[in-house]
Amino acid sequence: MKKFSLQLRKKNKTDTKGIIYVRTPDNKYRSTSITIHPKYWNPIKKEIRGTHSDSERLNLKIQDKLDHYKRNYVSDPIKGTETDSFNAYLERHIDNLYKIRKFGNAKKYKTTLNHINSFTTHLKFKDINLKWIDDFKNHLLSKSIGNNTANNYLKCVQKLYRQALKEKVFRTYEDPFMDYSLANTKRIQRNYLSVEHLQHLVQSKIEDEKLYEIRNRFLFQIYGQGLRVSDLFTLRFSNIVFTHSNYHLKFVQYKNKVPHLVPITKELAKCIYFYVNKEGYERMYYTRPETYRINGETMRLTLNQAIIYSMRMEGKHLEYLNSMIDFNIEEHFRRQMTEIDRYAQKYPDKFIVPVLDENLFENVKFNINTVLTKKQVNQISSKTTSYNKSLKRLKPFTLDPNINISSHSSRHSYANLLLESGVDIYAISKSLGHTNLTVTENYVKLFNQESVLRANESAFNTMGEVLRKRGH
């Protein structure tokens, strides 16, 4: 019986490189669009040799193409054969997602399969009609699953149903999903902290060491321009660079593989320094007093005490005290960055926020070609879940009984801070590292509409000035 195979073929004998093809059982050749020199091709193992600088990623891409052609190859697509089993088709799709290391998607489809199995067994494509969709959704809702979540599971079914139809795995005259709406009817409530709530969170005294560190992580995300939690966990000290006359965090975003640059401000430096020298951190802000002149009196206060004291003052004395505080903060910033830079050169591969297992990620370089194992992805996921549970303990320190703090709240909170400061939506999108302005627009819909209008007006005014200067 003929099987699928991989072959490296040249279009012309004079070509220095060849194209890798998938040979199907009926002797047809399907291109993988991957071109390499013959010396890198292993004709026995049917893979790119490890001596190629990008062998791991390319071999995964080849496997992806091979699996794709295998799925699409149906010699006799007649209903009633084993290819008519939706469950079997879904299982093969999940296996393929695992092979190409799309673990998040695999988990989503696996959960969909589990719900289908709890509702019905041996589901066939011909059984999927309007009645089945209705009954399955009611089944999901009866398990206390929300409407939007139930629709998301049905979208997984819809996608594979149409994919199989396109691949001619089965035949039908009607698509039941054409007459069924899967639009999310209930708007998801996104939470963010207002300026006042953030101020209270920053100023609150937290005695619990573990909770203090959790707050430091959350502030790290906000001061880091709304860092995603995946980037917070995967940043290493080697990501601290000196460029554009300042220190920055330079990294490739874990989610969208887009390079990003975040300036290290005084506030962000404080968060980083916490992980470099906790004893020095304690001395700078909580145990070592400085001399301050307040209302004609000399007082010995720690920097943190002076900041809290300044919040209760008014008038010219406040201005003088703030100038002294700013001077001390500037001095601390210089010392912190000197020590952080020295530490980064000594331990470049250490994670800044020590959450992930250093040994598990020892050889991982987070860049546009990063491919993680299932175990590595699962650890990031489980640590994120644990972090989100811990963040709920910060709720009392925000003075908002209705806030539901999560790791993603930092991004919404940061975006709101920029809006309140009059920053336009385009700058916010760039700052957050969004690849699509629509995503940013969805963020700001939940904020104060006056701020949104003001930001957009500012953007269009700036745009008008630029165009006028260019003679348009």
Side-chain angles (χ1 to χ4, degrees):
M1 181 180 176
K2 294 182 178 179
K3 298 180 180 179
F4 286 84
S5 63
L6 294 167
Q7 292 188 12
L8 180 70
R9 306 180 76 193
K10 292 183 179 180
K11 286 187 176 181
N12 302 299
K13 290 183 179 180
T14 55
D15 290 346
T16 56
K17 294 183 178 180
I19 301 172
I20 299 171
Y21 287 88
V22 175
R23 182 180 179 181
T24 62
D26 55 350
N27 291 325
K28 291 182 179 179
Y29 290 86
R30 309 293 185 187
S31 173
T32 65
S33 301
I34 296 173
T35 305
I36 61 165
H37 193 282
K39 70 177 182 180
Y40 293 117
W41 180 246
N42 188 327
I44 298 173
K45 292 185 177 181
K46 305 293 184 182
E47 65 179 20
I48 297 175
R49 300 181 191 275
T51 51
H52 191 284
S53 61
D54 203 14
S55 61
E56 186 176 357
R57 184 183 69 85
L58 290 177
N59 280 326
L60 283 172
K61 188 175 179 181
I62 291 169
Q63 186 61 48
D64 184 22
K65 289 284 187 180
L66 178 60
D67 291 336
H68 171 74
Y69 288 127
K70 283 182 178 180
R71 286 200 316 271
N72 286 356
Y73 185 79
V74 182
S75 58
D76 188 17
I78 301 173
K79 293 190 76 173
T81 66
E82 61 178 5
T83 59
D84 196 29
S85 169
F86 182 81
N87 295 58
Y89 186 83
L90 178 50
E91 286 173 356
R92 289 195 297 272
H93 182 71
I94 294 168
D95 289 340
N96 182 58
L97 289 172
Y98 277 122
K99 286 178 183 177
I100 60 176
R101 302 192 180 190
K102 291 187 177 181
F103 302 114
N105 284 341
K107 185 177 180 181
K108 177 176 66 176
Y109 281 97
K110 180 69 174 175
T111 306
T112 303
L113 177 61
N114 290 339
H115 284 305
I116 290 174
N117 287 335
S118 70
F119 175 62
T120 184
T121 55
H122 308 300
L123 178 66
K124 295 182 179 294
F125 284 100
K126 66 181 180 181
D127 298 327
I128 301 175
N129 50 36
L130 279 172
K131 185 179 184 307
W132 183 89
I133 296 172
D134 261 331
D135 290 345
F136 181 53
K137 182 169 182 178
N138 288 334
H139 167 73
L140 294 173
L141 296 176
S142 70
K143 297 173 70 173
S144 299
I145 293 174
N147 182 73
N148 290 356
T149 305
N151 280 346
N152 288 336
Y153 290 133
L154 278 169
K155 286 175 183 177
C156 291
V157 177
Q158 178 194 59
K159 181 178 179 180
L160 287 193
Y161 182 92
R162 290 176 172 172
Q163 178 177 298
L165 187 61
K166 185 178 180 180
E167 294 172 358
K168 298 181 181 179
V169 173
F170 73 104
R171 296 170 182 159
T172 184
Y173 294 104
E174 294 181 356
D175 179 354
F177 290 99
M178 291 292 290
D179 301 314
Y180 197 93
S181 175
L182 292 177
N184 290 339
T185 55
K186 185 178 179 181
R187 180 169 177 157
I188 299 172
Q189 179 61 44
R190 295 186 177 91
N191 288 286
Y192 68 95
L193 276 68
S194 66
V195 175
E196 292 73 23
H197 296 142
L198 276 172
Q199 284 176 337
H200 199 271
L201 177 63
V202 171
Q203 297 161 13
S204 294
K205 186 177 182 180
I206 298 178
E207 299 288 354
D208 187 304
E209 288 186 14
K210 289 184 178 179
L211 189 58
Y212 188 98
E213 192 273 330
I214 292 297
R215 178 178 66 176
N216 193 66
R217 286 190 212 173
F218 188 70
L219 294 178
F220 193 130
Q221 287 186 266
I222 293 176
Y223 296 141
Q225 295 185 178
L227 271 179
R228 292 186 183 91
V229 64
S230 53
D231 294 324
L232 175 74
F233 288 171
T234 56
L235 279 172
R236 289 192 166 103
F237 281 97
S238 58
N239 293 117
I240 298 175
V241 299
F242 189 83
T243 181
H244 303 297
S245 303
N246 202 354
Y247 283 98
H248 291 79
L249 290 173
K250 186 178 182 181
F251 60 98
V252 173
Q253 296 175 92
Y254 176 85
K255 182 178 179 180
N256 57 21
K257 307 298 183 187
V258 174
H260 200 44
L261 195 67
V262 174
I264 300 180
T265 59
K266 298 178 183 66
E267 292 79 10
L268 182 54
K270 180 182 176 182
C271 293
I272 297 173
Y273 188 66
F274 174 84
Y275 298 107
V276 171
N277 186 347
K278 287 187 180 179
E279 290 184 3
Y281 179 92
E282 286 286 328
R283 285 195 303 272
M284 279 186 178
Y285 296 98
Y286 296 102
T287 61
R288 186 177 66 194
E290 304 278 354
T291 301
Y292 292 91
R293 189 80 175 167
I294 304 172
N295 293 335
E297 297 181 16
T298 301
M299 300 181 69
R300 296 281 289 172
L301 301 171
T302 65
L303 180 56
N304 196 58
Q305 287 172 334
I307 292 171
I308 294 174
Y309 199 96
S310 69
M311 295 171 186
R312 303 169 186 166
M313 294 181 63
E314 294 179 355
K316 62 180 181 179
H317 294 295
L318 172 61
E319 186 178 342
Y320 178 67
L321 177 59
N322 280 338
S323 67
M324 296 178 67
I325 291 172
D326 289 341
F327 175 80
N328 285 333
I329 289 176
E330 190 67 39
E331 283 294 306
H332 289 331
F333 177 58
R334 281 196 286 269
R335 293 175 192 169
Q336 286 169 355
M337 288 313 306
T338 299
E339 198 167 339
I340 289 171
D341 186 52
R342 191 182 304 126
Y343 190 90
Q345 292 181 40
K346 189 175 181 180
Y347 304 105
D349 295 328
K350 272 194 172 184
F351 289 120
I352 297 177
V353 180
V355 173
L356 301 179
D357 185 344
E358 297 276 359
N359 293 325
L360 181 60
F361 291 85
E362 184 178 8
N363 298 316
V364 177
K365 302 296 181 184
F366 291 95
N367 51 44
I368 58 174
N369 298 317
T370 299
V371 179
L372 299 183
T373 65
K374 183 179 178 181
K375 189 174 182 180
Q376 290 166 340
V377 172
N378 285 343
Q379 181 168 117
I380 293 175
S381 178
S382 64
K383 293 295 184 182
T384 300
T385 301
S386 177
Y387 175 42
N388 281 325
K389 287 180 180 177
S390 298
L391 282 172
K392 296 183 187 302
R393 295 175 59 200
L394 290 178
K395 189 174 181 177
F397 300 98
T398 65
L399 287 185
D400 185 353
N402 300 315
I403 192 71
N404 181 25
I405 304 178
S406 70
S407 56
H408 213 64
S409 302
S410 61
R411 288 176 70 73
H412 298 146
S413 301
Y414 173 72
N416 180 58
L417 280 173
L418 292 186
L419 268 178
E420 292 293 330
S421 302
V423 179
D424 69 72
I425 194 170
Y426 303 98
I428 293 173
S429 183
K430 184 75 174 177
S431 186
L432 287 168
H434 284 159
T435 55
N436 192 326
L437 188 62
T438 304
V439 179
T440 315
E441 289 171 342
N442 288 334
Y443 264 49
V444 302
K445 282 178 183 176
L446 60 104
F447 303 138
N448 184 305
Q449 286 304 301
E450 290 184 8
S451 300
V452 177
L453 292 172
R454 188 169 60 247
N456 281 323
E457 183 181 351
S458 173
F460 285 118
N461 286 340
T462 303
M463 190 187 302
E465 291 176 7
V466 171
L467 291 175
R468 281 193 295 274
K469 286 179 181 177
R470 293 183 178 181
H472 288 280

